[in-house]
Amino acid sequence: MVAFFRWYTRRGDYAQDRLLLQTSLLKEAVAAFGKQLWHIFDRGYAGSRWLAELFDHQATFVIRWPKRYQLIDSKGKRNAWKIATGKTAQVRRQVWDAHLQQRRMAAALALPVTHADFPEHPLWLVVSRLGKGKEPWYLLTNQPCEHKDQLWSVVLAYARRWQIEACFRFSKSELAIQSPRLWFWQNRLKLMMMVTLVYAFLLQLMSPEKEMIRNELLRRWCHRTGKRCQLALTPLYRLRAALAALFSSYQVINQSSG
């Protein structure tokens, strides 16, 4: 579902500060969902500036922490990769890689740490090793990771971040938000809000309550043949194509009858 959405620009009379806008969205999300919502961030959000906002709003978070960024453990202030060096994995299991569409063996461990600018806030550095030749994930979280179930919940929560990347890719390719041909911001904003409504409608069709409608729509207007196409997980792409085919057919029938 689309819970909160903002379009903004950094140019002209309608320019907005991105950090202020993100902070506003964070405040709304915490007020609406509280502790049950986990905020997942990639490495671009690592650092004192964003950590301060997360602590101020008491948000539950998982941040991909750059391995050369420093944290404090029992031996002092060190790089994240040095803190984890020589530490044996606490748990091992197979996890589903949504990006590669396959299961992979993963090992993980959790280490208590703090940040130099926020020593009063206990944190955990969760290290997920995804196999030989793969760079480990260094995840910084304020969630307790004393038990293996808590540890894996952090790893799996970050693994689901690929859905965010898939959302961006779908919006750019299928909804064409990457190249709007409008010069004035107000006109562009109207178009973007229409795109947001379309995206929210497509997501609504993915809910369990709409399963019968969804299956019938896909069966009649976006039927797939071939093993490769049947195994590919592209529900939003197929829904958009099915609706486009349905509306085009209705338009042709309408014109013929007219």
Side-chain angles (χ1 to χ4, degrees):
M1 61 177 292
V2 176
F4 308 100
F5 217 107
R6 296 290 187 278
W7 295 103
Y8 79 101
T9 179
R10 289 179 290 182
R11 301 177 181 177
D13 297 334
Y14 300 95
Q16 292 178 279
D17 182 81
R18 185 172 66 176
L19 180 63
L20 293 178
L21 189 62
Q22 291 170 335
T23 303
S24 174
L25 286 171
L26 176 65
K27 183 178 179 180
E28 290 184 42
V30 172
F33 299 102
K35 293 291 185 179
Q36 63 178 331
L37 178 65
W38 286 28
H39 304 265
I40 312 298
F41 302 99
D42 226 326
R43 281 174 284 201
Y45 290 86
S48 299
R49 189 178 183 186
W50 191 243
L51 278 176
E53 297 293 342
L54 293 170
F55 288 135
D56 287 345
H57 292 88
Q58 299 181 352
T60 303
F61 63 85
V62 178
I63 300 178
R64 177 84 177 270
W65 198 253
K67 64 180 182 181
R68 290 184 175 85
Y69 280 25
Q70 294 185 332
L71 296 168
I72 299 175
D73 68 345
S74 58
K75 294 185 179 181
K77 190 176 181 180
R78 300 190 291 166
N79 294 340
W81 70 270
K82 289 185 178 180
I83 294 176
T85 298
K87 302 294 192 302
T88 305
Q90 298 169 351
V91 289
R92 299 176 186 272
R93 63 176 285 184
Q94 281 194 337
V95 297
W96 175 254
D97 190 323
H99 180 33
L100 299 178
Q101 294 294 306
Q102 64 183 21
R103 290 194 174 277
R104 299 170 60 181
M105 180 60 68
L109 67 149
L111 304 166
V113 295
T114 57
H115 192 277
D117 295 336
F118 312 99
E120 70 279 9
H121 293 283
L123 297 169
W124 289 85
L125 178 65
V126 176
V127 184
S128 177
R129 296 163 179 161
L130 304 175
K132 189 175 181 180
K134 299 292 183 180
E135 183 179 352
W137 290 347
Y138 298 93
L139 308 176
L140 189 68
T141 180
N142 59 347
Q143 277 292 99
C145 295
E146 298 173 350
H147 306 293
K148 65 178 183 179
D149 291 339
Q150 295 173 326
L151 191 159
W152 277 119
S153 65
V154 172
V155 175
L156 297 178
Y158 182 76
R160 291 175 66 87
R161 91 210 182 281
W162 184 251
Q163 295 182 355
I164 303 173
E165 302 298 334
C167 160
F168 293 153
R169 182 181 62 186
F170 174 80
S171 299
K172 290 179 180 179
S173 61
E174 297 294 304
L175 301 182
I177 67 169
Q178 193 169 14
S179 55
R181 298 294 186 262
L182 293 169
W183 182 261
F184 296 105
W185 171 245
Q186 288 294 342
N187 296 339
R188 181 177 293 189
L189 184 60
K190 290 178 183 178
L191 177 63
M192 292 299 193
M193 294 304 296
M194 292 170 61
V195 171
T196 305
L197 289 175
V198 171
Y199 182 62
F201 175 69
L202 290 173
L203 289 181
Q204 188 183 35
L205 289 177
M206 295 296 296
S207 63
E209 296 80 9
K210 302 292 192 303
E211 182 178 5
M212 185 178 298
I213 298 174
R214 181 174 65 248
N215 290 341
E216 185 65 17
L217 185 65
L218 294 177
R219 185 184 68 82
R220 294 191 60 182
W221 298 102
C222 193
H223 180 65
R224 294 196 296 186
T225 58
K227 182 177 179 181
R228 181 179 181 278
C229 289
Q230 290 176 354
L231 293 178
L233 299 178
T234 56
L236 286 179
Y237 291 84
R238 291 185 64 206
L239 277 175
R240 190 210 60 80
L243 287 171
L246 172 61
F247 295 153
S248 298
S249 176
Y250 177 78
Q251 185 178 9
V252 170
I253 295 174
N254 224 11
Q255 291 175 352
S256 301
S257 61

